[in-house]
Amino acid sequence: MEGKRTIFSGIQPSGELTLGSYLGAIKNWVELSEEYNCYYCIVDMHAITVRQNPAELRKRTLEQLAQYIACGLDPKKNTIFIQSHVSAHAELAWILNCYTMYGELSRMTQFKDKSSRNAENINAGLFTYPALMAADILLYQSDLVPVGDDQKQHVELTRDIAQRFNSVYGEVFKMPEPFIPKVGARIMSLTSPENKMSKSDKDPGGCIYLMQKPEDIMRSFKRAVTDSDRKVKYDPVSKPGVSNLMTIYSVAANKSYDEIEAEFEGKGYGDFKPAVGEAVVELLRPIREEAERLLKDKNYLVSVYKEGAERASRAATRTLRKVCKKVGFVDR
Ligand code: TRP
């Protein structure tokens, strides 16, 4: 671990992981495992900013852990843990709340979106969500934070908070950088390709889930929105649906856009869409099977999250102690 740069990222267990979570995030996390000291978190404390069913949250948290591992994240090489198990996150989040401005939080696009979608529950946690996210990142002195572009604003706010704190107390926090992967960064909905494929999508056909059955995956791809031009050609502006399917096919089958265009030259979407579906079925099959196997081995999953929390806690406590001292709390 010495000398390696540090990465932190997390996904909320607020819904089932999707093909977008895998291609846009977890697949890249796996590739970063060798070169970096990586912390991959299941951010259950962020998830409760929106009302959750407790039994389902618990179940999805364990499923997400099994899926992280099934996607190839090795718990020996990465610190995989559940956010609520490391109390330093809540503690630092409180402190950082006192260094985060009302105006800054009000400008966050995600807050504006989520509060308009959950008008009946605009709670303080939803508002200060970015301060908890800043705590996640800063506790581990992270260098890089792999996120989708929708989270870039939160990482930038994290930098502003770190900067503000450091300018008062000295170099306490390392300045993190957002790290936005080029390929697969934006897997779009199959039914509304102008929107990101999201686990909170209300349209079930737009989203492919990691644990979905092959026949359901095939059905969604056959119904995917395309256009009336009948040409398999990459052009995200005028052909968003087809281009999204090409991105998915390109990552799932490991082919370039040129190769895909040549493969479907003179053929229509009736050949193209099931081919993408099959590539995705084959990509997800081993992940689903491994996750199902792991979910039956509860003791193993418990040992992974306990060990993860211990490792994370050790690193997090180091930063938290420094911060407590700086702000003037008496030593414990
Ligand atoms: N807010 C992120 C999302 O919804 C999840 C998240 C929480 C996160 N803490 C983080 C991502 C820290 C990166 C780093 O996608």
Side-chain angles (χ1 to χ4, degrees):
M1 248 171 244
E2 291 307 302
K4 281 188 179 175
R5 301 212 295 158
T6 298
I7 283 198
F8 186 99
S9 197
I11 301 178
Q12 299 188 49
S14 53
E16 302 274 327
L17 291 180
T18 69
L19 179 66
S21 335
Y22 176 60
L23 296 181
I26 305 170
K27 188 166 181 284
N28 298 307
W29 295 359
V30 175
E31 283 157 25
L32 298 165
S33 312
E34 292 296 332
E35 226 184 300
Y36 296 87
N37 173 26
C38 300
Y39 293 87
Y40 294 126
C41 190
I42 300 173
V43 290
D44 55 348
M45 289 158 67
H46 278 108
I48 63 163
T49 56
V50 171
R51 203 64 78 228
Q52 302 288 333
N53 172 311
E56 267 170 36
L57 179 62
R58 196 168 358 257
K59 178 162 167 280
R60 274 200 309 265
T61 302
L62 284 178
E63 284 172 357
Q64 193 165 311
L65 175 66
Q67 290 166 22
Y68 276 8
I69 302 167
C71 286
L73 280 184
D74 181 348
K76 293 265 171 283
K77 291 186 189 152
N78 302 281
T79 304
I80 305 177
F81 70 106
I82 299 169
Q83 187 184 31
S84 64
H85 289 183
V86 180
S87 59
H89 290 248
E91 296 177 55
L92 183 62
W94 175 257
I95 297 173
L96 296 182
N97 262 319
C98 305
Y99 296 80
T100 307
M101 300 300 140
Y102 179 85
E104 289 175 316
L105 293 172
S106 326
R107 282 193 291 277
M108 294 293 116
T109 29
Q110 184 169 290
F111 172 70
K112 290 190 251 177
D113 282 358
K114 284 197 178 172
S115 48
S116 69
R117 274 189 277 128
N118 299 285
E120 70 302 333
N121 184 21
I122 308 179
N123 61 73
L126 192 66
F127 189 60
T128 64
Y129 177 116
L132 176 59
M133 181 159 160
D136 297 343
I137 296 168
L138 298 176
L139 274 175
Y140 301 94
Q141 305 290 345
S142 310
D143 295 278
L144 293 178
V145 185
V147 283
D149 12 279
D150 60 320
Q151 295 297 314
K152 201 172 159 215
Q153 197 184 29
H154 288 160
V155 181
E156 272 153 13
L157 178 58
T158 299
R159 289 169 58 87
D160 293 339
I161 298 169
Q163 175 77 52
R164 183 172 300 134
F165 196 92
N166 285 353
S167 72
V168 180
Y169 301 105
E171 292 299 299
V172 177
F173 296 124
K174 178 161 294 164
M175 206 47 88
E177 307 256 357
F179 180 67
I180 296 167
K182 281 185 266 337
V183 187
R186 275 181 93 65
I187 300 296
M188 311 307 273
S189 158
L190 299 188
T191 47
S192 47
E194 58 289 348
N195 299 319
K196 191 168 151 175
M197 183 181 284
S198 155
K199 49 181 152 46
S200 44
D201 198 337
K202 294 281 169 285
D203 179 0
C207 202
I208 300 294
Y209 298 97
L210 289 191
M211 302 303 274
Q212 223 173 344
K213 291 205 245 20
E215 54 273 28
D216 296 337
I217 296 177
M218 290 303 293
R219 188 179 327 111
S220 292
F221 276 101
K222 285 181 187 156
R223 290 182 185 165
V225 166
T226 48
D227 49 50
S228 53
D229 161 69
R230 305 189 47 77
K231 261 212 198 87
V232 177
K233 191 168 166 301
Y234 190 77
D235 181 352
V237 177
S238 65
K239 297 167 71 65
V242 170
S243 303
N244 183 42
L245 292 175
M246 285 181 73
T247 302
I248 295 171
Y249 189 54
S250 140
V251 200
N254 204 4
K255 293 179 181 174
S256 70
Y257 293 139
D258 287 344
E259 283 169 329
I260 299 169
E261 284 172 13
E263 184 177 346
F264 294 96
E265 171 91 71
K267 295 186 189 157
Y269 301 149
D271 288 313
F272 176 54
K273 294 203 284 188
V276 184
E278 266 154 39
V280 170
V281 166
E282 290 320 313
L283 176 76
L284 298 185
R285 186 190 304 282
I287 296 176
R288 175 172 44 86
E289 289 174 354
E290 177 65 356
E292 280 166 356
R293 190 186 70 76
L294 288 168
L295 276 166
K296 294 196 195 108
D297 193 351
K298 184 85 191 292
N299 290 340
Y300 172 70
L301 292 178
V302 172
S303 74
V304 168
Y305 72 60
K306 284 203 166 162
E307 200 187 315
E310 257 168 52
R311 277 212 300 263
S313 197
R314 241 174 285 138
T317 304
R318 245 177 275 141
T319 302
L320 183 65
R321 287 287 156 265
K322 248 189 246 173
V323 170
C324 288
K325 197 177 188 115
K326 292 289 188 187
V327 300
F329 293 167
V330 172
D331 270 350
R332 295 185 193 188

